[in-house]
Amino acid sequence: MVKACPGPFQASVAQSARPRWPLIATALLLAATIYGFSGRLLPWNVSASAPFSFPDAWVDKDTKMCPQAKPLAPQRNSVLWENITALHSSDTFLKRAIAQLSNAVQIPTETFDSMGPVGEDARWESRGPFVDHLEKAFPLVHSTLKLERVNTYGLLYIWEGSVSSLKPLLLMGHYDVVPVAASSVDQWTHPPYSGHYDGENIWGRGSSDDKSGVIGMMTAIEVLLEHNFTPTRTVILSFGFDEELADQRYGARHLASTLLERLGPDSIAMIVDEGSGYSENYGAIFAVPGIAEKGSANVEVEVKTPGGHSSVPPKHTSIGILAAIIVHLELNAPKPELAVDTPLFEMAQCFAAHGPGMPRDVKRSIRRAARRGSAKHLKKAAEYLLQDTMLKALVGTTLAVDIVNGGVKSNALPEQAMVGITASMNIRPHYSQTVVNHLNATLSRDSSLVMDLAEKYNLSVTAYGEPLTPADTPTYGSVLIHAPIHLEPAPISPIDANPFQILAGSIRTARQTGSTKDDVYVAPGMMTGNTDTKYYWPLSKHIFRYGHRNMIGRGMGGIHTVNEHVPAASFVEIITYLTVLILNVDETTL
Ligand SMILES: *[C@@H]1O[C@H](CO)[C@@H](O)[C@H](O)[C@H]1NC(C)=O
Ligand SMILES: *[C@@H]1O[C@H](CO)[C@@H](O)[C@H](O)[C@H]1NC(C)=O
Ligand SMILES: *[C@@H]1O[C@H](CO)[C@@H](O)[C@H](O)[C@H]1NC(C)=O
């Protein structure tokens, strides 16, 4: 997970199709009998217009804010589901799951910044043993599913469904991990690649991010195959191997373009990738599947001025001017603004509806802002909600000056003719459905801030390839602004549609089936960073980033830092969640 920050939010009124299982089942069985299908069941025809009904206890009485999908257990495969959940709750299975994850963690698959192409950079070769291991560890998966290798280490598993007209379900994960810094090894309670099980947790780099996802999927499917399950709808697994690289150019990019070439746009019913899990907010437990991601831009500002000996300095060197620009950008950093029609506000409604820990007056403000569009109440709600730094980061465009370069010698003015001075700002454009081009707005904003200072320092400005200063103006120096890496915010996956509701119902069932038998509210969430899904946008409108991580009281569980670990019981529940999701999706036409 790249800078994964699960932030939850909830939409106003979700409704979706929920089949009348027994009726439809009977009808189809009858049809099958009448037309003499040889025992093969048709997919359930779910009427897309039948609304979900929400049990009263799960709906906020006053507002109907944040209604919840009912827990959804497989119907057609109810016996199989019972058999598998019985297995999942056994001690034998716990041991098996622990061994699978532990073995996978013990094969380091580290991703480093600036890795060269596959075949040239030998560091990719760490993937080979992991891929070989999968083949041995999951024999039925490998004898039943078709495995295609994309750019050597990208793995596409195709589990052909019996009805080819149904759009496939795509489950994604990545098996690379962030490196363990040599200097941090002694801070680990158990060695980072030990996969040690201490009786409660499985430890090690990748135990959560994201080998729990990859091994969870493989284990879920191996077990389904052991129980002779054959899918109606094709299931595709897509495992990247460079997710921890900023632009995932060797793994996800190739996997996505292979799928796009093969299947065409909008060809996948639903995509579920790694992502958030469930945690406590305002006194209740919320699962927060990511339905959106912020955009990002790395902006570079380069100042060039004449050089010379430092004994005869100008009033400002290029370093001094750059410092002024940085200060100006930071002083004028975008202000986070809560708006009613944004996912983040919808999340706030969810907390207001179900979180007993939120003060009553805040709940009232959120409700009134939602219902009547009251600006006064929206402001009150924002004052409270944006005290939370995570929510604040999700609501607005953020700016961080990350890199500064300049100067080479103490007695030479830094003209830096070629390299200049670089400030790199990681900007996350504001997410809002009403702003058509967030990235453009963010970039223009930066260049106009730089323009503010151009006259004062007598500089010409070129922004994103276009001169902003008339060509014939004599200037002392120049500023070059460009954005080598930039990405628009992800399209938002709808929550008032079957895929989200099936996901939500599956999450609740998995939670109720897990070792704690707890329930959970489901609220659509948002990611501040991007997962591999950023290359998959054209393939489906229904993309969710959710790994069913248990984050109650444990935060991110050491992801990207020391002591990454996952409770074994939580890992089993991840497998249960993936199983129920696969079965539920298989039973609906979506
Ligand atoms: C469920 O388990 C029972 C008892 O072991 C077995 O007879 C049956 O075939 C299983 N059914 C499925 C669908 O797995
Ligand atoms: C923003 O969009 C406008 C209109 O399409 C275009 O002229 C301008 O160059 C864009 N700015 C940036 C920074 O991309
Ligand atoms: C800016 O610098 C150039 C080159 O040194 C000089 O010719 C010009 O007069 C300066 N402009 C102003 C407004 O100081």
Side-chain angles (χ1 to χ4, degrees):
M1 192 188 292
V2 171
K3 289 183 191 161
C5 300
F9 58 77
Q10 169 58 31
S12 45
V13 178
Q15 56 167 24
S16 186
R18 176 80 202 280
R20 292 187 175 163
W21 302 108
L23 258 178
I24 294 167
T26 314
L28 281 175
L29 271 172
L30 260 170
T33 315
I34 291 165
Y35 291 101
F37 290 111
S38 52
R40 175 186 285 173
L41 291 178
L42 288 170
W44 302 134
N45 279 310
V46 177
S47 146
S49 56
F52 262 85
S53 61
F54 298 98
D56 282 350
W58 284 81
V59 180
D60 181 86
K61 293 278 190 313
D62 297 335
T63 61
K64 307 279 183 275
M65 289 194 300
C66 194
Q68 295 290 303
K70 283 181 187 166
L72 188 59
Q75 305 287 312
R76 175 168 37 127
N77 295 294
S78 59
V79 179
L80 172 70
W81 171 241
E82 267 167 38
N83 286 2
I84 288 182
T85 50
L87 174 70
H88 285 182
S89 63
S90 71
D91 225 38
T92 340
F93 188 77
L94 179 72
K95 290 204 181 87
R96 173 178 169 182
I98 293 165
Q100 284 288 15
L101 186 56
S102 170
N103 292 341
V105 167
Q106 288 172 49
I107 306 169
T109 43
E110 295 183 337
T111 292
F112 301 90
D113 279 346
S114 69
M115 279 173 88
V118 177
E120 283 174 27
D121 194 322
R123 291 176 293 181
W124 295 115
E125 289 163 20
S126 64
R127 276 74 178 151
F130 186 86
V131 175
D132 294 344
H133 166 75
L134 287 182
E135 208 163 324
K136 285 189 219 91
F138 302 99
L140 286 180
V141 169
H142 285 82
S143 61
T144 314
L145 280 62
K146 206 176 93 213
L147 169 60
E148 196 173 318
R149 289 158 202 252
V150 177
N151 199 19
T152 312
Y153 299 119
L155 305 179
L156 269 187
Y157 290 91
I158 320 278
W159 194 7
E160 206 76 55
S162 55
V163 178
S164 58
S165 58
L166 293 172
K167 289 181 179 180
L169 163 69
L170 173 58
L171 300 176
M172 295 171 54
H174 68 89
Y175 66 89
D176 62 317
V177 299
V178 291
V180 175
S183 60
S184 73
V185 171
D186 57 1
Q187 294 171 45
W188 285 72
T189 309
H190 302 284
Y193 292 109
S194 62
H196 180 73
Y197 176 61
D198 64 2
E200 189 184 348
N201 297 299
I202 302 152
W203 294 79
R205 173 62 80 233
S207 56
S208 180
D209 182 9
D210 174 40
K211 286 177 177 169
S212 63
V214 169
I215 300 301
M217 287 169 203
M218 295 300 262
T219 308
I221 294 177
E222 187 78 8
V223 169
L224 283 166
L225 290 169
E226 285 165 6
H227 287 77
N228 300 313
F229 173 75
T230 55
T232 308
R233 179 193 300 280
T234 296
V235 178
I236 302 174
L237 306 179
S238 181
F239 296 155
F241 61 90
D242 68 343
E243 199 276 340
E244 303 295 358
L245 212 57
D247 60 359
Q248 299 113 2
R249 95 191 74 147
Y250 302 113
R253 205 182 71 176
H254 289 267
L255 286 161
S257 62
T258 300
L259 285 171
L260 199 55
E261 252 167 53
R262 192 93 35 95
L263 303 172
D266 200 21
S267 54
I268 306 275
M270 176 178 185
I271 299 177
V272 183
D273 192 15
E274 65 160 342
S276 61
Y278 49 90
S279 59
E280 185 176 340
N281 297 85
Y282 302 100
I285 306 298
F286 291 90
V288 286
I291 62 160
E293 286 177 342
K294 295 187 83 177
S296 64
N298 287 1
V299 177
E300 289 175 6
V301 179
E302 192 177 320
V303 178
K304 290 181 186 173
T305 58
H309 197 279
S310 38
S311 56
V312 204
K315 199 168 173 195
H316 303 286
T317 68
S318 50
I319 294 177
I321 294 169
L322 188 76
I325 291 174
I326 292 172
V327 169
H328 190 59
L329 285 169
E330 285 205 340
L331 281 177
N332 293 284
K335 294 203 175 35
E337 228 178 276
L338 188 66
V340 170
D341 59 353
T342 57
L344 193 102
F345 185 71
E346 288 165 350
M347 170 211 63
Q349 291 182 63
C350 213
F351 292 161
H354 303 295
M358 183 181 278
R360 278 167 163 270
D361 59 325
V362 178
K363 289 185 177 206
R364 194 178 55 229
S365 290
I366 290 173
R367 200 175 293 142
R368 291 195 176 160
R371 214 162 30 182
R372 305 188 207 140
S374 156
K376 191 182 100 198
H377 284 286
L378 184 63
K379 191 156 165 275
K380 273 188 77 177
E383 269 164 22
Y384 177 83
L385 292 167
L386 300 187
Q387 290 169 26
D388 182 325
T389 46
M390 193 62 221
L391 297 191
K392 199 170 154 188
L394 282 169
V395 82
T397 293
T398 57
L399 174 148
V401 177
D402 297 320
I403 302 168
V404 173
N405 279 315
V408 284
K409 198 155 181 333
S410 59
N411 63 354
L413 294 174
E415 87 268 85
Q416 301 287 334
M418 291 303 128
V419 183
I421 299 167
T422 306
S424 170
M425 279 140 291
N426 209 354
I427 295 168
R428 303 280 178 191
H430 180 79
Y431 165 83
S432 158
Q433 273 173 315
T434 51
V435 178
V436 178
N437 193 340
H438 328 261
L439 183 61
N440 185 311
T442 303
L443 297 183
S444 314
R445 192 175 181 285
D446 286 345
S447 54
S448 78
L449 283 170
V450 172
M451 277 302 276
D452 292 347
L453 300 180
E455 198 179 328
K456 177 172 175 193
Y457 293 104
N458 192 4
L459 305 166
S460 69
V461 179
T462 306
Y464 318 109
E466 274 189 49
L468 300 184
T469 315
D472 52 359
T473 319
T475 54
Y476 172 65
S478 63
V479 187
L480 200 73
I481 308 169
H482 59 121
I485 299 178
H486 52 263
L487 183 72
E488 293 284 354
I492 307 153
S493 304
I495 62 168
D496 55 351
N498 272 349
F500 181 81
Q501 296 299 333
I502 287 168
L503 177 68
S506 301
I507 290 169
R508 290 191 60 196
T509 293
R511 195 81 194 105
Q512 292 176 354
T513 311
S515 60
T516 60
K517 311 276 179 245
D518 284 336
D519 211 333
V520 63
Y521 294 101
V522 181
M526 185 174 181
M527 314 283 286
T528 56
N530 300 104
T531 70
D532 273 346
T533 51
K534 76 181 186 199
Y535 290 109
Y536 291 69
W537 296 349
L539 282 161
S540 182
K541 289 184 185 65
H542 307 280
I543 303 181
F544 306 106
R545 300 102 183 142
Y546 183 76
H548 203 65
R549 289 193 166 95
N550 179 351
M551 304 188 296
I552 303 171
R554 22 188 326 275
M556 300 299 285
I559 286 178
H560 287 216
T561 178
V562 298
N563 288 327
E564 182 172 349
H565 66 284
V566 69
S570 302
F571 178 54
V572 170
E573 200 183 294
I574 289 174
I575 299 168
T576 305
Y577 146 74
L578 290 163
T579 306
V580 67
L581 180 66
I582 290 170
L583 291 175
N584 281 337
V585 170
D586 197 72
E587 294 188 1
T588 51
T589 53
L590 284 182

